[in-house]
Each structure stands twice: as C-alpha cells, then as structure tokens.
Amino acid sequence: MIYDVAIIGAGFAGLSCAAALNARGIRSVLFEKKSSLRSHIHTTGIIVQEAINEWNISPSLLKTVNAVRMHSPWLDAIEVKSPSYNFYLTDTGGILEEKLQSLQNKTCTIKLNSAVTKIERTSQGFQFPEHNIESRFLVLADGANTSLSKHLGFERNTEFLAGHELEFPLDTLPKENVMNVFLHPKICKGYIGWVISGVDVVQVGLAVNRGETLSID
C-alpha cells in the first residue's frame, strides 16, 4: 500500500498533522505503537488558548484555568489573571481518543499497536518493510529524542524539558480554577513545579531543563 504521508506517533502533534491532511484530502497512514492512547501519556495535558482554538474538544474533557498563582521560595505568592486568555487542564487520554475517533473513515488509515523500528529510503520516498507500506513523505511525531530521527539523519531536538507528574485524588485540594506554580532555585531547579486541581485528579509535577537533576520528592 502506498500513501502520500506516513506519520509516526499519535500524540498531539501526530493527530494534528493527520487532521490537517484529512482536511485537504491527502491520504495518510498514522502509526502508533500503543494499543490505547490512554496509556503511557508523556504530556501534562496543560494546554494553551491557541490549542483550544484549533481543536474541537468536548467540554467534559476540559477545565479552564483563569489564574496563575506564582509562589516564591518563601511561599508568598502573586496571582496573575487575564480577562481574554486562559490555560486549560484536560483529560488528556480522553482528548487523544476523541481526536482519533474523528479521523475514522476519513483519508487517514490508523494503525494502533504498530511500532515502526525500520524505515528504508526509496527513490519515491520511504518504505516500512514491517508493515508492507510505502509513503512519499514522512512525519516523525514520536517524541523529542526519537531514535528514528538519528537513524534517518534528520535534525534532532537538542533543547527540551524533562518532566514528571504525579496524580492524587481530587479532594486533596480546593476545587479552584488556579494553577499553582512554584519557583525555587533548589526544589524546582531548572524550571518550575506545579500543583493543580485538574479535570478529575490533582496534578503535581516538576519540569527541568535537560541536564538538571529531576527529583519530584
């Protein structure tokens, strides 16, 4: 089978790409190594206003954050609001699955539980011998440090954040629409920590620059 575009990775980037190709009637195939988009999610699910404007998302999968409360190392705080701009907390797995369902029966062929470990260049584009598929173009959306990029000699990301997030029962925090951000040169060395009352869980996370030690404890 020959497609115009092959996309590897069904996260936000891969699904957005597939949807854009669908809208233009371009035949694509989307490979995803997981059998369910709800498993092993590698994103906080905190998204910005611009993303909401691009995706049609069910309101039940979203929670609006209309204020950011920034805490100093001494735990005094300042709250920042905007009347015209919000962040959004999400049921990330639910959003990914909803977007995947919207691609069904369109010009995109979806292949879940289909890891791609070998890609061969051809005179016409790319070949995926494990799946007996060829494509004219290739989009890698399988992570910031993908081994396939190295294998194909593509440009690679060299600057990115590493993060870790834990989830707790929702009743452990007041149900407010505020994102608590902690700035501290030792506890949150490198970037930020956050505590948020999310869609159905409390999210506690830490993100650091590459090379910094990550210790959410």
Side-chain angles (χ1 to χ4, degrees):
M1 183 69 72
I2 301 176
Y3 294 88
D4 295 314
V5 183
I7 306 163
I8 300 178
F12 282 117
L15 291 169
S16 294
C17 182
L21 294 171
N22 259 343
R24 292 159 177 80
I26 299 173
R27 294 180 68 247
S28 64
V29 57
L30 177 61
F31 292 106
E32 170 55 53
K33 65 182 180 181
K34 298 183 296 186
S35 58
S36 169
L37 299 191
R38 283 190 174 275
S39 63
H40 304 290
I41 294 174
H42 290 171
T43 176
T44 65
I46 304 169
I47 59 179
V48 294
Q49 184 75 54
E50 291 84 352
I52 291 295
N53 296 340
E54 290 290 331
W55 279 35
N56 182 23
I57 300 173
S58 298
S60 62
L61 301 174
L62 295 173
K63 179 179 178 180
T64 304
V65 175
N66 51 31
V68 176
R69 187 179 298 137
M70 295 183 291
H71 300 265
S72 77
W74 301 275
L75 296 185
D76 51 350
I78 182 171
E79 195 162 288
V80 181
K81 294 183 178 181
S82 170
S84 58
Y85 193 93
N86 297 311
F87 290 101
Y88 294 85
L89 307 177
T90 67
D91 174 352
T92 309
I95 288 179
L96 295 176
E97 288 194 337
E98 182 178 71
K99 194 67 171 179
L100 189 70
Q101 288 297 318
S102 74
L103 298 175
Q104 300 284 2
N105 302 318
K106 301 286 182 69
T107 57
C108 179
T109 298
I110 299 165
K111 290 190 170 294
L112 297 179
N113 201 26
S114 298
V116 174
T117 61
K118 187 177 182 180
I119 302 175
E120 297 176 355
R121 289 183 181 270
T122 69
S123 60
Q124 301 299 316
F126 301 89
Q127 187 175 59
F128 308 86
E130 299 161 302
H131 304 282
N132 196 28
I133 283 175
E134 296 181 28
S135 70
R136 295 175 58 213
F137 299 96
L138 172 64
V139 175
L140 295 181
D142 57 337
N145 200 22
T146 168
S147 60
L148 290 174
S149 291
K150 182 179 181 180
H151 169 69
L152 293 168
F154 285 11
E155 291 184 3
R156 307 184 74 196
N157 293 316
T158 57
E159 296 184 10
F160 49 85
L161 298 174
H164 189 73
E165 185 175 82
L166 302 177
E167 296 179 347
F168 297 92
L170 194 57
D171 58 3
T172 56
L173 267 189
K175 293 179 176 63
E176 55 182 359
N177 296 340
V178 176
M179 177 177 180
N180 290 282
V181 177
F182 297 86
L183 310 172
H184 196 291
K186 292 183 179 179
I187 297 174
C188 301
K189 186 177 181 181
Y191 195 50
I192 60 170
W194 61 90
V195 179
I196 319 165
S197 177
V199 175
D200 51 15
V201 293
V202 172
Q203 300 171 232
V204 179
L206 176 66
V208 298
N209 292 320
R210 186 180 185 184
E212 297 285 356
T213 301
L214 174 62
S215 176
I216 200 169
D217 291 339

